[in-house]
Amino acid sequence: MKLPFKLTFWRVLFGIVTLAGAYAVFVRVNQGLGAATNLSDQFPWGLWVGFDVVTGVGLAAGGFTIAGAVYVLHLKQFYPVLRPAILTAFLGYVLVVVGLLIDIGHPLRIYHPMLMGNFQSVMFEVAMCVTFYTSVLALEFSTVVFEKFGWKRPKKWVGKVIVPLVIVGVILSFLHQSSLGSLYLIMPSKLYPLWYSPLLPAFFLISAISTGCAMVIFESHLSFRAFGHRLEKHILKHLGRVMLLGMALYLVLKVQDFTTRGVWNLMFENRMETYVFWLEMLIGSIIPIVLLSIKKVRLSTKGLYVCSIFAISGFLFNRMNVTITGMTASSGVNYIPSWMEISVSLAIVGMVIFLFALAVRYFPVFGTPLKESQKQKLNKLSKIQGENSDKVSSNYTHIS
Amino acid sequence: MDNRKALLIDVNLCVGCKACVEACREENNQPEDGDMSVLSSTAYTAVIEKEEVYTRKMCMHCEVPTCVSVCPVGALEKTESGAVIYHYEKCIGCRYCMQACPYSVPTYEWASTKPKVQKCTMCYPRQKVGDIPACAEACPAEATIFGDRDELLAIARQRRIDEPETYINHIFGEHEAGGTSVLFTSSIPFDELGLPMNLPMEPLPNLTWDVLSKIPRFSVFFGTFLYGVWWVIDRRMEIADKGNNQLTEAVWNQRNQKDEV
């Protein structure tokens, strides 16, 4: 028997992870959360909340950042990464909702917040924002779908409302990105003071924006390798700068926060939290800031790639620390996710990558292929322009 | 404070007989076997031995409950009587109440595919028909008594005045996190009884409300601001596109002339 696709390491891994995840979901649905997870009355929120939801939403922040830059600030040079960023965000949010459905006890009541919302609840606000923002992302991405099928009218309609739509998306994102931090504002006695801060919403928002940029850099590199699309060097350069700015602001705020709360001494206490915190700050803040401050690194694609990996890992550390490490001491139990929890989370990541690859294959995510005559024209142009050639020579166009 | 009811638990009077636990199980149709010293989805109260004294663990029925404020669907409710009760039919099972509760009280039916959050109801159904909570009724030593919150606070203060050696000068629940409807008095510090001593005195929901209440105003201002930014840049680019400082200059001149007239 011949398979319709080639077996590669990544595909086999994806298959295994997906199967394991599917089995875990099966157990979760048929036997409840207790059978599938290591959660307990002492530790009610674990990996599925911490990673699938809190981290997932943060990693998808590139969508609103780039959309805002292109449409509100008219920074058209970001256009080439707009569609991949929106696609990632959209898939990210859809999978966040899937993760949420697996995690909550009554998935069939997911619509309840819509009908019986409690305005005092941060969770309600997050639920509303995620719902509306996922719809906004779907609309933002719909133009790509319309373009693929040549539906000019609906594309024009969306085009007419795109600016207000993007603005609504930016507001919603600001609200729920920060609110994921606000979720923990109500637990001053439970979250370890290295992470608990009245500034949690600000920390969450700023780190989401800089990591959103890091994700776009990271993805661009991966797409470049996987799909052979051109690497938009001049764009990544700008993103690197935004990332640096965000991280610097984050660090300054952190220093200010530690000073006002007077918790510097906690950084030198001999306990597990201290070490993990140091690791988080080094990987997610200090190392990438130092690296990005070096012009040579900031201007090289490889340097940016490395920085983005640091930023994303640091971000992961931070969210895991707030949701799991920081809650451990007060809970009195040592929560370690079960293999089923881990496999569901990995399957969700795999699913995002798989759907992304699928979408790239069937939709003009990286722009529409140029006709042969246009290519020749561009080639001529680039010869004339010489040095600036990388700005014009492209096999793809985004003008439609 | 109107007619809010409360429970006063005097650790000094408790003999550790666990009659309260048994009465609670009977009242709530919970299995009779099982650990009497931990809360679970089938045990609303527990008796714990600490430093040679006995204390109880149960829902504190906060005056401004954290669980009620965090629930996205309003499945938890602070009733007029002071009891905090749970409405299963609304619950989506997100467990934010458990995560946020400063006393880590609510429990979950982890083995169920239709899980309920479980916690003490201060025998709200009994209160409605004029009975007192089962635990207070069962207690032979009057270590748990039920009554108006004001009166119970007065009793607690009186006990301290009468026997200053046996009572520390602190009623747990009078002010903690905005106050609770379950009050504790004791001869030893409350952290030794396992009660959290790092709580702020203001209600915890204020911490999030400070942020949440700003959202409508923030959204309107931020939206207007973003639209303004878009408009200004758009207009500038439009003008620049027409290729010409001349145009802008002309417009300026025109305006200045108008002003002069």
Side-chain angles (χ1 to χ4, degrees):
Chain A
M1 203 178 83
K2 212 178 153 224
L3 288 168
F5 51 84
K6 246 185 12 199
L7 275 181
T8 63
F9 170 73
W10 291 108
R11 280 177 181 161
V12 172
L13 189 71
F14 171 71
I16 295 170
V17 163
T18 311
L19 279 179
Y23 174 73
V25 172
F26 177 79
V27 172
R28 150 74 189 91
V29 170
N30 285 296
Q31 295 170 44
L33 281 163
T37 68
N38 279 346
L39 297 174
S40 61
D41 290 336
Q42 289 74 39
F43 215 94
W45 279 3
L47 190 69
W48 289 350
V49 174
F51 182 77
D52 305 5
V53 180
V54 175
T55 311
V57 167
L59 289 179
F64 87 86
T65 314
I66 304 294
V70 169
Y71 287 109
V72 181
L73 303 180
H74 292 72
L75 298 171
K76 301 289 182 217
Q77 66 266 36
F78 284 121
Y79 199 96
V81 290
L82 175 70
R83 285 177 173 188
I86 288 178
L87 177 62
T88 322
F90 175 61
L91 294 175
Y93 274 81
V94 169
L95 270 293
V96 161
V97 175
V98 171
L100 210 60
L101 284 170
I102 298 169
D103 183 73
I104 64 172
H106 298 273
L108 297 179
R109 298 181 181 173
I110 187 92
Y111 63 91
H112 275 197
M114 285 269 199
L115 302 183
M116 35 192 115
N118 168 17
F119 296 118
Q120 293 209 336
S121 167
V122 182
M123 181 74 88
F124 165 73
E125 192 231 320
V126 173
M128 288 299 100
C129 284
V130 168
T131 311
F132 289 126
Y133 185 54
T134 310
S135 324
V136 167
L137 281 169
L139 274 175
E140 284 176 4
F141 190 69
S142 69
T143 52
V144 182
V145 180
F146 296 148
E147 190 178 303
K148 155 87 180 173
F149 296 114
W151 298 344
K152 290 202 175 117
R153 269 242 195 108
K155 199 188 164 199
K156 221 171 103 189
W157 291 336
V158 177
K160 274 190 178 155
V161 293
I162 193 78
V163 172
L165 197 66
V166 167
I167 290 178
V168 168
V170 172
I171 296 172
L172 288 172
S173 297
F174 265 64
L175 291 184
H176 71 268
Q177 293 288 0
S178 60
S179 288
L180 287 172
S182 309
L183 280 177
Y184 287 83
L185 277 182
I186 208 159
M187 309 171 206
S189 59
K190 291 178 119 181
L191 182 58
Y192 192 70
L194 275 175
W195 292 286
Y196 182 86
S197 155
L199 291 180
L200 268 172
F203 287 141
F204 267 58
L205 176 65
I206 297 167
S207 56
I209 293 176
S210 48
T211 311
C213 295
M215 277 297 279
V216 175
I217 297 175
F218 183 68
E219 267 167 44
S220 300
H221 277 262
L222 290 192
S223 321
F224 172 66
R225 275 196 208 161
F227 314 116
H229 293 289
R230 193 171 65 107
L231 206 52
E232 311 283 349
K233 275 184 210 161
H234 56 291
I235 298 172
L236 301 191
K237 209 166 61 190
H238 292 301
L239 286 174
R241 227 185 276 157
V242 178
M243 213 167 104
L244 176 60
L245 213 70
M247 286 177 160
L249 182 61
Y250 184 88
L251 195 62
V252 170
L253 268 185
K254 205 85 187 176
V255 170
Q256 189 254 340
D257 174 54
F258 268 54
T259 311
T260 42
R261 289 190 300 125
V263 289
W264 285 104
N265 57 317
L266 286 180
M267 285 188 65
F268 307 101
E269 245 171 59
N270 182 19
R271 42 186 298 160
M272 181 260 293
E273 284 91 346
T274 314
Y275 305 128
V276 190
F277 180 79
W278 272 99
L279 211 59
E280 171 198 323
M281 289 311 286
L282 274 178
I283 294 177
S285 228
I286 294 161
I287 295 179
I289 285 179
V290 170
L291 283 177
L292 283 170
S293 306
I294 305 165
K295 203 169 175 191
K296 218 173 146 192
V297 176
R298 206 169 56 231
L299 296 184
S300 85
T301 44
K302 209 166 194 180
L304 281 171
Y305 182 52
V306 171
C307 288
S308 76
I309 292 176
F310 270 113
I312 295 164
S313 322
F315 179 85
L316 270 171
F317 253 100
N318 172 257
R319 295 309 195 255
M320 290 291 103
N321 284 343
V322 172
T323 54
I324 294 173
T325 323
M327 298 297 291
T328 301
S330 67
S331 75
V333 293
N334 210 352
Y335 164 81
I336 292 162
S338 70
W339 73 265
M340 286 199 236
E341 288 177 87
I342 295 171
S343 65
V344 167
S345 294
L346 288 179
I348 283 179
V349 175
M351 208 42 94
V352 172
I353 298 172
F354 172 70
L355 291 175
F356 186 88
L358 216 60
V360 167
R361 195 155 168 196
Y362 293 107
F363 295 104
V365 174
F366 290 96
T368 326
L370 289 180
K371 286 180 197 136
E372 205 44 47
S373 59
Q374 285 175 309
K375 258 189 211 168
Q376 281 169 1
K377 230 184 216 171
L378 270 177
N379 278 340
K380 262 186 210 162
L381 254 178
S382 59
K383 265 175 209 158
I384 298 165
Q385 294 214 342
E387 270 194 334
N388 295 327
S389 59
D390 80 331
K391 287 192 184 173
V392 266
S393 78
S394 169
N395 289 329
Y396 293 86
T397 177
H398 303 281
I399 305 144
S400 45
Chain B
M1 226 194 233
D2 43 345
N3 56 346
R4 285 216 171 162
K5 301 292 183 191
L7 289 163
L8 173 63
I9 297 168
D10 191 331
V11 173
N12 293 344
L13 297 177
C14 182
V15 294
C17 70
K18 297 178 183 165
C20 50
V21 181
E22 277 164 21
C24 180
R25 282 178 178 172
E26 199 179 321
E27 174 62 29
N28 296 297
N29 301 319
Q30 289 162 341
E32 279 171 28
D33 48 345
D35 198 340
M36 287 185 141
S37 62
V38 286
L39 295 184
S40 74
S41 57
T42 54
Y44 291 168
T45 187
V47 172
I48 310 160
E49 192 184 349
K50 293 254 169 156
E51 315 279 325
E52 293 177 355
V53 296
Y54 294 95
T55 184
R56 290 184 63 193
K57 190 164 166 65
M58 59 190 289
C59 175
M60 302 291 283
H61 298 278
C62 302
E63 293 292 280
V64 188
T66 306
C67 57
V68 172
S69 109
V70 298
C71 180
V73 291
L76 289 145
E77 181 196 350
K78 176 83 175 168
T79 61
E80 269 173 46
S81 82
V84 176
I85 58 168
Y86 168 68
H87 300 285
Y88 169 66
E89 67 285 354
K90 288 185 176 178
C91 179
I92 59 170
C94 72
R95 312 185 296 285
Y96 194 10
C97 50
M98 307 170 62
Q99 176 85 0
C101 173
Y103 308 102
S104 302
V105 161
T107 55
Y108 202 63
E109 294 176 343
W110 293 102
S112 167
T113 52
K114 301 239 177 311
K116 282 182 188 151
V117 169
Q118 296 282 12
K119 67 166 207 65
C120 161
T121 62
M122 218 192 206
C123 286
Y124 185 65
R126 285 173 66 106
Q127 284 194 45
K128 271 208 294 202
V129 296
D131 284 343
I132 71 169
C135 56
E137 193 180 73
C139 184
E142 295 203 332
T144 298
I145 53 174
F146 178 75
D148 288 343
R149 189 169 183 269
D150 297 352
E151 285 171 22
L152 293 182
L153 278 172
I155 292 173
R157 281 192 208 104
Q158 192 57 45
R159 285 182 185 168
R160 153 85 184 162
I161 292 165
D162 293 345
E163 299 168 71
E165 284 90 43
T166 36
Y167 288 93
I168 55 166
N169 189 16
H170 183 183
I171 303 166
F172 192 96
E174 187 177 9
H175 301 297
E176 273 74 13
T180 60
S181 298
V182 174
L183 307 163
F184 280 87
T185 53
S186 155
S187 57
I188 58 171
F190 292 109
D191 45 350
E192 286 171 32
L193 295 177
L195 286 164
M197 292 306 287
N198 55 352
L199 292 176
M201 292 301 129
E202 63 161 341
L204 295 175
N206 291 359
L207 293 170
T208 37
W209 188 242
D210 282 349
V211 178
L212 278 182
S213 57
K214 295 198 178 82
I215 285 178
R217 239 181 309 165
F218 168 80
S219 308
V220 172
F221 279 119
F222 193 46
T224 317
F225 170 76
L226 286 176
Y227 199 80
V229 168
W230 171 82
W231 189 86
V232 168
I233 301 178
D234 194 60
R235 182 73 186 137
R236 277 188 171 184
M237 288 173 87
E238 203 178 306
I239 292 169
D241 267 357
K242 278 176 191 153
N244 31 72
N245 302 326
Q246 287 167 348
L247 180 74
T248 5
E249 229 168 84
V251 172
W252 268 110
N253 290 339
Q254 221 175 1
R255 278 193 196 160
N256 290 343
Q257 273 168 8
K258 263 186 202 162
D259 286 350
E260 278 162 27
V261 174

